[in-house]
Amino acid sequence: MPTLDTLDVRGKTVLVRCDFNVPLEGGVVSEATRIEASLGTIRELQAKGASKLVLCSHLGRPKDKVEEAWRLKPVGEELSKRLGQHVTTLQVTVGDEAKKAIKAAQAGSIILLENVRFLPGETKGNPELGRQFSELADVFVLDAFGTAHRDHASVTGPCRHIPSAAGRLLQKEVECLGRLLQNPPKPFVTLVGGAKVSDKVEILESLIARCDALLVGGAMAYTFLKAQGKNIGRSLCEADKLDLARELLAKAKARGCVIELPVDHVAGSEFKNDCEIRRDVAEVPEGFMGLDIGAKTAAKYAETLSKAKTLLWNGPMGVFEMENFSRGTKVVGEAFAASKGYKVVGGGDSVAAAEQFGLAARMDHVSTGGGASLEFLGGADLPGVKALREGLKGAAKG
Ligand code: ADP
Ligand code: MG
């Protein structure tokens, strides 16, 4: 995959596909991690003598048309503040008006295009729209890891028409996550949890093939426990995924991957923090639901993690958002962070948990792309990465 190390940007207009899909509140950016994360690539392009920077991104989920609530203006304002330089936000994305505005801008300007998902062809990966994006600049930089698993026009299109490279954010994700796929030092242990087995089938299958141990917590553990004939009370369970769970357990056994399931639980009478609670019970009592792993399970998982040389964490061990059910995630998360191995955390809620417990800074890599990181770790060739690799040769394919 080409990177900024080889792309010639001096004196050029550079189109950068960013991931500025940030939360807004009352028309301003309320959480700017993704904007902050993009600054490295932007500053490097400036330092390397790029003439004009044309940034683009999606925001929210507009339905192929202009929706006032999802205009990128607030992003432009936040960017201006953080860069200490005025960013001009256009109300158009591609076409003559955009071209004219870019042409008229002075060297050194930064221009932000309007929301790419206002255009009907964007999420369909329309090749003609991809070409129109490429007409706005001399070279293209893809830095939106969070959307690199989508064959969208602004992600995969420009690579086929102008010289392109990965930005530093995308590069770091591919390199750090890639270390988990290419002969990771053993033992390789994955801590997996969160809501559903069905959300994570691909990654579970892929991990079973690569890991020495899979430590399962969170709601998904109950589908596995139920598949083994355990009582799970009213815990979340995907009744239609019991066969799949059995299949995964059998595959793991055949592959020599140990799947560990919770041996005790913190159960609540209701899905809320203040309810009747049974702590550290070996089985979820009738009428209760398992909302966290118990102390014995947490200690066991922590012990396994402390000996691992490669560690991946995806999915919280319990309903960590509720104080009474946060202990398992905290204990196991701390053991994870304390391990001497190579440590990667991915997944929106897992990253939030790591941040909530003050563990994020101790990780080797915190992956920002939820769906993209899962697909990548599941072994998929991300369309954005593939398009960069194929470059201009990809044009023949449309
Ligand atoms: P990630 O975003 O890290 O991939 P998921 O989205 O799969 O994680 O799952 C996170 C959610 O799972 C959290 O909101 C958490 O409250 C919930 N969760 C974890 N354990 C349980 C449980 N035992 N019962 C119900 N919900 C749970
Ligand atoms: Mg999530």
Side-chain angles (χ1 to χ4, degrees):
M1 181 178 74
T3 69
L4 293 186
D5 294 330
T6 50
L7 188 72
D8 179 14
V9 300
R10 182 159 297 280
K12 301 208 162 125
T13 297
V14 187
L15 175 68
V16 191
R17 174 56 159 101
C18 303
D19 180 357
F20 291 145
N21 188 24
V22 291
L24 301 179
E25 257 167 47
V28 296
V29 173
S30 56
E31 208 281 316
T33 309
R34 285 185 167 163
I35 293 180
E36 192 64 41
S38 71
L39 302 183
T41 294
I42 293 173
R43 293 206 171 104
E44 182 171 342
L45 290 169
Q46 289 180 314
K48 286 185 167 159
S51 169
K52 302 172 195 179
L53 298 185
V54 180
L55 313 179
C56 68
S57 175
H58 71 286
L59 175 65
R61 291 184 175 271
K63 297 259 160 10
D64 295 350
K65 59 176 173 26
V66 177
E67 289 183 27
E68 292 302 324
W70 298 122
R71 285 198 181 277
L72 272 172
K73 192 148 199 310
V75 170
E77 283 163 4
E78 189 65 33
L79 256 174
S80 301
K81 259 193 252 164
R82 289 181 186 254
L83 282 166
Q85 174 182 349
H86 178 69
V87 173
T88 307
T89 309
L90 304 184
Q91 293 223 336
V92 290
T93 311
V94 291
D96 287 341
E97 207 181 313
K99 278 191 211 165
K100 231 185 270 165
I102 294 165
K103 197 164 176 211
Q106 287 179 355
S109 314
I110 303 182
I111 294 149
L112 176 64
L113 303 177
E114 188 52 281
N115 195 333
V116 295
R117 290 201 189 159
F118 286 175
L119 303 171
E122 169 65 8
T123 59
K124 289 174 198 78
N126 183 313
E128 169 54 20
L129 180 57
R131 196 186 56 74
Q132 288 176 354
F133 274 111
S134 74
E135 286 183 337
L136 302 175
D138 304 309
V139 295
F140 175 61
V141 171
L142 177 61
D143 212 18
F145 178 70
T147 19
H149 61 313
R150 306 274 185 230
D151 182 12
H152 290 178
S154 68
V155 175
T156 53
C159 309
R160 294 167 183 154
H161 304 281
I162 51 178
S164 305
R168 295 302 182 198
L169 261 187
L170 175 65
Q171 183 187 350
K172 181 158 188 278
E173 290 278 3
V174 168
E175 284 173 2
C176 292
L177 296 177
R179 277 178 68 168
L180 302 180
L181 299 176
Q182 289 138 23
N183 301 319
K186 304 227 151 202
F188 178 5
V189 178
T190 295
L191 186 60
V192 63
K196 294 202 243 155
V197 176
S198 52
D199 280 351
K200 299 185 178 174
V201 182
E202 269 95 37
I203 187 179
L204 285 171
E205 294 214 322
S206 158
L207 288 169
I208 282 168
R210 299 170 203 278
C211 288
D212 301 290
L214 217 57
L215 313 176
V216 184
M220 73 153 71
Y222 296 100
T223 301
F224 283 102
L225 289 169
K226 175 92 182 169
Q228 292 188 330
K230 299 265 166 47
N231 290 327
I232 60 162
R234 286 165 53 222
S235 308
L236 273 191
C237 174
E238 293 170 273
D240 58 334
K241 294 290 177 293
L242 296 178
D243 285 337
L244 173 70
R246 280 184 210 108
E247 236 173 75
L248 290 171
L249 289 167
K251 261 187 203 161
K253 202 167 178 193
R255 287 275 196 166
C257 167
V258 178
I259 294 193
E260 295 213 33
L261 298 173
V263 292
D264 61 347
H265 313 268
V266 181
S269 58
E270 282 175 77
F271 190 79
K272 59 180 203 190
N273 191 48
D274 294 311
C275 64
E276 199 186 328
I277 295 173
R278 301 279 167 84
R279 287 213 168 264
D280 306 329
V281 286
E283 261 189 19
V284 179
E286 204 55 48
F288 281 70
M289 49 188 105
L291 296 175
D292 193 11
I293 56 171
K296 221 193 243 175
T297 309
K300 210 169 154 226
Y301 288 7
E303 167 76 13
T304 308
L305 290 168
S306 72
K307 292 187 199 131
K309 296 234 164 58
T310 304
L311 299 86
L312 169 65
W313 178 13
N314 175 266
M317 295 291 102
V319 186
F320 72 98
E321 300 94 332
M322 299 179 192
E323 169 75 31
N324 281 328
F325 306 105
S326 64
R327 185 190 62 186
T329 305
K330 185 164 190 277
V331 168
V332 172
E334 273 167 2
F336 189 100
S339 168
K340 301 257 178 320
Y342 180 71
K343 304 178 282 273
V344 176
V345 182
D349 294 290
S350 317
V351 172
E355 270 162 9
Q356 180 178 316
F357 300 130
L359 306 171
R362 287 152 73 195
M363 305 298 172
D364 292 288
H365 182 58
V366 176
S367 181
T368 53
S373 38
L374 287 188
E375 288 200 20
F376 187 84
L377 292 171
D381 193 9
L382 304 184
V385 173
K386 183 161 177 262
L388 282 173
R389 251 192 357 254
E390 289 179 346
L392 303 176
K393 290 195 293 276
K397 299 182 180 171

